[in-house]
Amino acid sequence: MTGGGLRTLLETEQSRPLAEREPPGDRPWVALNMASSADGRATVGGTSGGLGSEADHRQFAALRREVDCVLVGTGTLATERYGPIIRDPAAREERVHAGHAPAPVCCIVTRSGRVPLDIPLFDDPAQVVTIYTGSPVALEGVEADVNVARTEHAPSFAAALRDLRARHGVRVVLCEGGPRVVGALLQEDLLDELFLTFAPMLVGGNGVKNVIEGLGVNPPVPLELIRVLESDSYLFLRYLVSRPR
């Protein structure tokens, strides 16, 4: 992504398209796309949309076009009122010509089974949704193609990712949050790459969301910076998670 006012400040040879990433072992490659204010907040007025810009929205759409699956938490689904993962018919057609499904699978991991089925995501018959849960999920009135995978115990993200790779052929997953989902991925050492939009604003406030929530990671997860873009004082940072070789 190089047009529309975006300036490349740094780019290394490791900044390759997501579609070219090799899955690590028996699970997909997992990339995270998230936005943060300058003071580390994940939302403005309760949603992440207030942190974005035109360039951010373009990156958001472009990343979705590259991946096989979008992983998102139930809270983010409800708050952001998710619709179909790819709405543009031309983008869907491009994916089909490239040998992919028209849109990425939407993956949900939930202990409670409480899924916001009233959002537009579940109104699209062409949208495939896979839910990993330890509880029943009522699917009355749902138009989307929803697959529910029940587990005896609370589902883990590691098990869900292994199943996506083995049964659905998913090679690259894009996580879009929320903060608790990100915290769980870090706890289970499942994150491979990070796209971070750094918004030029201060949000402040008490009780507002940070970009990552949950148990602390010890030791902290080291990152390697592989690309920096700038547009209208927004920074678009891309990192690889550094692991011992």
Side-chain angles (χ1 to χ4, degrees), residues 126-144:
Q127 179 64 60
V128 177
V129 181
T130 298
I131 302 173
Y132 295 92
T133 179
S135 304
V137 179
L139 297 175
E140 290 81 3
V142 167
E143 298 289 336

Side-chain angles (χ1 to χ4, degrees), residues 174-195:
L174 179 66
C175 177
E176 296 181 352
R180 291 183 181 178
V181 172
V182 179
L185 291 176
L186 290 175
Q187 281 291 316
E188 296 186 43
D189 190 27
L190 298 172
L191 188 63
D192 302 299
E193 189 164 359
L194 168 63
F195 293 83

Side-chain angles (χ1 to χ4, degrees), residues 23 29 69 97 107 125 132 188 197 219 222 239:
W29 182 271
C69 175
H97 284 319
C107 176
Y132 295 92
E188 296 186 43
T197 297
Y239 295 92

Side-chain angles (χ1 to χ4, degrees), residues 15 17 21 23 29 40 42 48 52 60 67 96 119 125 131 136 146 177 182 188 197 221 227-228 236 238:
S15 182
R21 295 302 193 198
W29 182 271
S48 62
F60 182 84
V67 301
V96 171
I119 61 176
I131 302 173
V146 181
V182 179
E188 296 186 43
T197 297
V221 177
R227 190 182 71 187
V228 180
F236 300 89
R238 185 178 184 183

Side-chain angles (χ1 to χ4, degrees), residues 11-207:
E11 188 159 25
T12 74
E13 61 181 12
Q14 296 194 69
S15 182
R16 300 191 300 273
L18 270 182
E20 296 180 6
R21 295 302 193 198
E22 286 297 325
D26 61 353
R27 66 165 177 86
W29 182 271
V30 179
L32 168 64
N33 185 32
M34 68 180 186
S36 169
S37 66
D39 54 343
R41 303 307 189 184
T43 62
V44 175
T47 69
S48 62
L51 292 171
S53 66
E54 181 181 348
D56 177 57
H57 296 157
R58 289 200 304 273
Q59 174 169 265
F60 182 84
L63 290 176
R64 284 184 165 191
R65 290 196 295 269
E66 290 189 59
V67 301
D68 305 308
C69 175
V70 169
L71 170 65
V72 62
T74 55
T76 299
L77 283 172
T79 301
E80 307 290 344
R81 302 291 300 173
Y82 264 52
I85 300 301
I86 294 183
R87 305 185 191 190
D88 181 8
R92 290 190 175 204
E93 188 173 342
E94 287 177 8
R95 284 177 56 90
V96 171
H97 284 319
H100 303 295
V105 174
C106 181
C107 176
I108 303 165
V109 179
T110 169
R111 293 183 179 182
S112 68
R114 292 192 292 271
V115 179
L117 299 176
D118 61 332
I119 61 176
L121 175 76
F122 293 100
D123 295 334
D124 180 9
Q127 179 64 60
V128 177
V129 181
T130 298
I131 302 173
Y132 295 92
T133 179
S135 304
V137 179
L139 297 175
E140 290 81 3
V142 167
E143 298 289 336
D145 180 1
V146 181
N147 307 298
V148 178
R150 287 287 303 276
T151 60
E152 292 185 8
H153 307 288
S156 72
F157 285 91
L161 289 169
R162 288 195 299 268
D163 187 72
L164 286 170
R165 181 81 181 103
R167 292 203 299 130
H168 302 281
V170 170
R171 294 174 53 83
V172 181
V173 170
L174 179 66
C175 177
E176 296 181 352
R180 291 183 181 178
V181 172
V182 179
L185 291 176
L186 290 175
Q187 281 291 316
E188 296 186 43
D189 190 27
L190 298 172
L191 188 63
D192 302 299
E193 189 164 359
L194 168 63
F195 293 83
L196 174 62
T197 297
F198 201 63
M201 60 184 72
L202 300 172
V203 176
N206 295 318

